[in-house]
Amino acid sequence: MLPTIFCTGCGIGSVMNFSLRAIHDLNIDMNKTVFVSGIGCSSRVPGYIYSDGLHSLHGRAIAYATGVKLANPELKVIVFTGDGDCGAIGGNHFLHAIRRNVDITVISINNFIYGMTGGQVAPTTPLKSKTTTTPYGNIEYPIDLSMTAKVIGAPYVARWTTAHPVQCINSIKKALQKTGFSFVEVLSPCPTSYGRLNKMGTALDLTKHFKESTINVKLYEKMLAEGKTTDKMVIGDLVDIEKEDFNTKYKKFCGELK
Amino acid sequence: MIHVNSNYCKGCLLCMEYCPKKVYVKSEKLSKKGVFPPEVKYPENCIKCHLCELMCPDFAIIVEDKDDK
């Protein structure tokens, strides 16, 4: 299967690398793991992994994953999804899977654009960014996936970039060990579509840009305490709480009815 | 020992940028893929941090912890 079909410098390969390392370090049984994906560049990932996988409809990855988890709660379900897949077409499923608190791990690879179909504007595209459908700059406000997950009440939310490999692996490990909906957003460079249209250069320049345009959540809280604000994107472990997941609640509920 | 698989490498050179000891240099020979892959020029400087292995999006680099002597 290798080499992968991703473009030169695409961050999806790195995210796959991080996830597989986290799974390897935790000694997770691959016979009891299912990888689910929707449509998009990011959704090519389960095709490279020797395990059960489900390449589903556009945006419906989380809906399929919910079904897999409810049918067989023993399985570990990992969803690979992109920003368009998770935030636009599958936005509704995303919100309601968090509300239901299904025990799945969602790894969202955010490259700020619809990469596979030629670089159209996505819900996460920053203001004034150029895409093929907004050649004079984007005028719509972007959605922040991690903050959305935090507000609705996901028990684990983390955001990193591909320029922070070790931290990202640790977060994916925590997410995999969490019972309940765990969400890891990874900002990933798309040099072919996003980088080229916005004149941001190659993957090297984009990863440097990520390092400069993000701020760790601990530093950000310090800044807030001092009364300062910043336009930078907040990265780090944003939420880490305990919450009863849907499967245990459902079992309890069935026990009460008998 | 550092192995670079030039058939997998797509020439993004993230390994070269993120190596803290600058072990790699850009090769002057084109690979089969038509890119300039990284070349391990100073293997004695390697501190086995595995950062190049982690950063590589194409699974092209393997760093062995033990050197063959």
Side-chain angles (χ1 to χ4, degrees), chain A residues 2-6 8-10 13-14 16-18 21 162-163 165-166 169 204 207-208 211, chain B residues 7-15 17-18 33 35 50-51 53-59 61:
Chain A
L2 290 170
T4 55
I5 61 156
F6 307 127
T8 304
C10 176
S14 305
M16 183 159 86
N17 197 343
F18 302 160
R21 267 166 214 279
T162 49
V166 179
I169 291 174
L204 284 180
T207 42
K208 269 181 209 162
K211 277 205 161 177
Chain B
N7 287 333
Y8 287 0
C9 179
K10 289 174 192 152
C12 66
L13 303 177
L14 280 169
C15 47
E17 178 69 26
Y18 282 89
K33 284 236 150 199
V35 297
H50 295 262
L51 209 57
E53 217 179 44
L54 286 177
M55 286 307 295
C56 181
D58 296 305
F59 303 90
I61 300 175

Side-chain angles (χ1 to χ4, degrees), chain A residues 40-195:
Chain A
C41 293
S42 58
S43 307
R44 286 271 180 174
V45 172
Y48 298 107
I49 304 171
Y50 190 64
S51 161
D52 285 340
L54 195 56
H55 198 163
S56 65
L57 299 176
H58 197 2
R60 272 59 178 160
I62 295 173
Y64 276 73
T66 308
V68 172
K69 188 70 193 178
L70 295 191
N72 193 349
E74 276 184 14
L75 296 175
K76 193 145 209 97
V77 186
I78 301 165
V79 180
F80 281 101
T81 174
D83 52 324
D85 201 41
C86 181
I89 299 103
N92 199 10
H93 298 297
F94 176 60
L95 302 186
H96 291 285
I98 299 173
R99 188 178 59 85
R100 219 176 251 155
N101 201 13
V102 195
D103 183 16
I104 54 177
T105 303
V106 178
I107 299 168
S108 176
I109 303 161
N110 183 356
N111 55 9
F112 307 109
I113 209 163
Y114 283 107
M116 186 187 243
T117 45
Q120 288 86 354
V121 64
T124 47
T125 308
L127 275 174
K128 294 176 186 170
S129 282
K130 284 175 187 168
T131 66
T132 46
T133 46
T134 57
Y136 304 110
N138 179 27
I139 52 164
E140 294 164 5
Y141 290 101
I143 186 174
D144 192 327
L145 293 174
S146 292
M147 289 303 167
T148 313
K150 186 181 172 180
V151 166
I152 301 166
Y156 187 81
V157 181
R159 170 161 56 200
W160 291 107
T161 75
T162 49
H164 301 89
V166 179
Q167 297 93 321
C168 187
I169 291 174
N170 289 337
S171 278
I172 293 174
K173 273 185 203 169
K174 276 186 208 163
L176 288 170
Q177 284 166 323
K178 197 89 185 167
T179 41
F181 192 95
S182 42
F183 182 70
V184 182
E185 182 186 354
V186 191
L187 307 183
S188 139
C190 178
T192 306
S193 289
Y194 189 74

